[in-house]
Amino acid sequence: MYLWVNPTIMTFELTEEQRLIRDAARDFAQQELKPGVIERDEKQQFPAEQVKKLGELGFLGMMTSPDYNGAGLDTISYVLVMEELSKIDASASVVVSVNNSLVCYGLEKFGSSQQKEKYLKPLAEGSKIGAFCLSEPEAGSDATSQHTTAEDKGDHYLLNGTKNWITNGNSASTYLVMAQTHPDLGHKGINALIIEKGMDGFTIGPKENKLGIRGSDTHSLQFSDVKVPKENRIGEDGFGFKFAMKTLEGGRIGIAAQALGIASGAFELALKYAKERQTFGKPIAEHQAIQFKLADMHTQIEAARLLCLKAAWLKDQGKPYAEAAAIAKLFASDVAMKVTVEAVQIHGGYGFVKEYHVERLMRDAKITQIYEGTSEIQRMVISRSILSL
């Protein structure tokens, strides 16, 4: 495992605390997530009991300050946890990602004192779950084209519209919703609003029947004249687009780490299988064709891990990390797809069988190339950075 732990000296050692956190996440994944993970995938069952335990262990508010009931840990520790959980169950790890990177981070960084007290504390302590609501049926990942509207009514907003592909859609209690208040101002007219489950006019659509992360609670949300108090707006009027972009930068680190974990989990299974499965009188790991596959998989995973940890380190040091996060997310998600496909191939016919887990990891890997901005969007972020656009 590798990381930079000093602002001026590069080292490749984990601190004792980081090792303990990683090991705790690894134990939790093996003991709590692995049992029943195939059944949850088949039934599209949200891992409610496991998520509750993750909250009790402090994994849902890892990077939030203890002042707001969080664990106050660094981003590197978060990456380590995301990798270990994602090796086993990406449907559970995405809850950790959204609650930490998007919801808790957004509220702690940009929310008012009142908002932090009311909403952030229960989210960080894990007693409640949050959702980040940006994508729409028409706009997709184009954050500038918000068809959901928040009409200014003086002391409140009237919220109308639909949000799509919302992780924790039905399990959340707190929703951060982007909506257009001043259409003539374009992206400068967007606001970020805190919505509570149960508000009049707020309804939750059916759960999406997905290819991967089938246990993840993904729904569409509908808002019909939802009355939102002005004190639930995050930041100044028109701050919503900037809020979404700044928050997504950290979100990409979490998804990169999730992709890394999926790849790493598939590799570990493929390596174990290659040592056990025999053909022509010897383990297939002794055949050069398999050795080359394993070498390439391992190399790609190591590179992805370094990119994830670099982005996390930059964030922890208060340095610009948007480009590094986009690079990590782009590379790690592509690695997740390549490695899981190869893991299925190494398993042969057994790779197509659910009990060997690799087919599920392959299905889970695909979403990492799509959410938190598609691979094409990451390339846009990177190219604009290197071209200084």
Side-chain angles (χ1 to χ4, degrees):
M1 198 64 68
Y2 314 96
L3 76 159
W4 294 260
V5 295
N6 186 289
T8 57
I9 301 173
M10 185 167 64
T11 181
F12 295 89
E13 295 288 337
L14 290 176
T15 66
E16 180 63 24
E17 181 182 40
Q18 289 163 343
R19 282 195 294 269
L20 290 172
I21 292 165
R22 178 202 61 192
D23 293 347
R26 182 178 296 167
D27 290 344
F28 182 88
Q30 290 293 329
Q31 296 171 16
E32 300 289 345
L33 293 181
K34 192 171 183 178
V37 66
I38 294 174
E39 183 179 5
R40 292 195 301 273
D41 174 76
E42 289 180 340
K43 295 181 177 180
Q44 303 186 74
Q45 180 182 341
F46 181 73
E49 180 182 343
Q50 291 78 8
V51 168
K52 182 176 183 291
K53 291 179 180 178
L54 283 167
E56 292 169 353
L57 289 171
F59 287 143
L60 295 184
M62 290 186 64
M63 298 176 289
T64 304
S65 167
D67 293 341
Y68 303 108
N69 298 344
L73 298 172
D74 59 8
T75 314
I76 287 174
S77 296
Y78 168 59
V79 166
L80 298 174
V81 168
M82 282 297 298
E83 178 181 357
E84 293 301 329
L85 298 179
S86 302
K87 287 179 181 180
I88 305 300
D89 189 358
S91 293
S93 71
V94 74
V95 180
V96 176
S97 176
V98 168
N99 214 65
N100 275 287
S101 293
L102 301 181
V103 182
C104 286
Y105 172 80
L107 286 170
E108 183 173 20
K109 182 73 173 178
F110 303 107
S112 67
S113 298
Q114 179 186 9
Q115 291 167 353
K116 292 175 185 178
E117 189 69 26
K118 183 176 181 180
Y119 298 109
L120 178 57
K121 281 188 172 183
L123 289 165
E125 71 184 14
S127 61
K128 292 186 177 180
I129 301 173
F132 186 84
C133 310
L134 177 64
S135 295
E136 296 186 351
E138 300 88 353
S141 297
D142 181 5
T144 63
S145 301
Q146 294 295 296
H147 292 264
T148 298
T149 60
E151 186 179 357
D152 193 333
K153 291 294 186 179
D155 64 341
H156 68 277
Y157 293 99
L158 271 188
L159 183 66
N160 286 279
T162 300
K163 293 295 180 180
N164 254 20
W165 318 117
I166 305 305
T167 301
N168 304 335
N170 191 45
S171 301
S173 62
T174 305
Y175 302 76
L176 308 187
V177 180
M178 312 309 134
Q180 180 64 259
T181 300
H182 310 287
D184 53 318
L185 296 179
H187 71 276
K188 293 182 179 180
I190 295 171
N191 278 310
L193 305 176
I194 303 172
I195 311 300
E196 297 177 29
K197 191 174 189 178
M199 281 183 166
D200 290 342
F202 174 24
T203 57
I204 299 169
K207 185 172 184 174
E208 301 289 352
N209 188 358
K210 307 185 298 295
L211 170 74
I213 58 166
R214 289 169 57 80
S216 173
D217 202 13
T218 310
H219 293 255
S220 60
L221 310 177
Q222 289 82 42
F223 306 99
S224 178
D225 285 341
V226 178
K227 188 175 180 180
V228 185
K230 272 285 179 70
E231 58 262 29
N232 280 31
R233 185 186 71 204
I234 301 174
E236 298 297 319
D237 189 21
F239 180 67
F241 176 77
K242 185 175 288 187
F243 169 82
M245 294 301 99
K246 289 293 184 182
T247 305
L248 285 172
E249 288 176 2
R252 288 174 182 134
I253 297 176
I255 298 308
Q258 183 186 51
L260 169 64
I262 292 170
S264 186
F267 172 75
E268 290 177 5
L269 291 169
L271 180 62
K272 181 176 183 292
Y273 181 82
K275 290 178 178 179
E276 296 172 349
R277 170 69 165 153
Q278 293 202 3
T279 61
F280 306 105
K282 60 183 179 181
I284 63 173
E286 294 184 21
H287 296 299
Q288 193 176 68
I290 300 299
Q291 291 173 352
F292 283 4
K293 285 182 183 293
L294 292 170
D296 287 344
M297 294 159 74
H298 179 61
T299 300
Q300 292 163 0
I301 290 168
E302 288 292 290
R305 184 175 289 119
L306 286 169
L307 289 172
C308 289
L309 292 170
K310 177 185 177 182
W313 178 82
L314 288 170
K315 184 172 182 288
D316 286 337
Q317 300 305 320
K319 298 176 183 292
Y321 64 91
E323 179 188 323
I327 291 172
K329 199 269 186 184
L330 172 64
F331 188 81
S333 61
D334 286 348
V335 166
M337 278 309 307
K338 292 174 185 175
V339 168
T340 53
V341 168
E342 289 287 42
V344 171
Q345 192 71 20
I346 288 171
H347 278 75
Y350 291 107
F352 238 56
V353 179
K354 290 184 180 296
E355 68 180 279
Y356 284 80
H357 294 282
V358 287
E359 64 85 26
R360 173 175 51 83
L361 290 170
M362 183 178 70
R363 289 186 285 105
D364 288 349
K366 187 59 192 176
I367 192 61
T368 67
Q369 294 179 313
I370 298 172
Y371 57 15
E372 302 298 336
T374 63
S375 296
E376 290 72 25
I377 287 177
Q378 306 313 312
R379 289 183 171 91
M380 288 173 58
V381 172
I382 296 163
S383 63
R384 286 176 178 174
S385 176
I386 61 179
L387 295 170
S388 300
L389 295 178

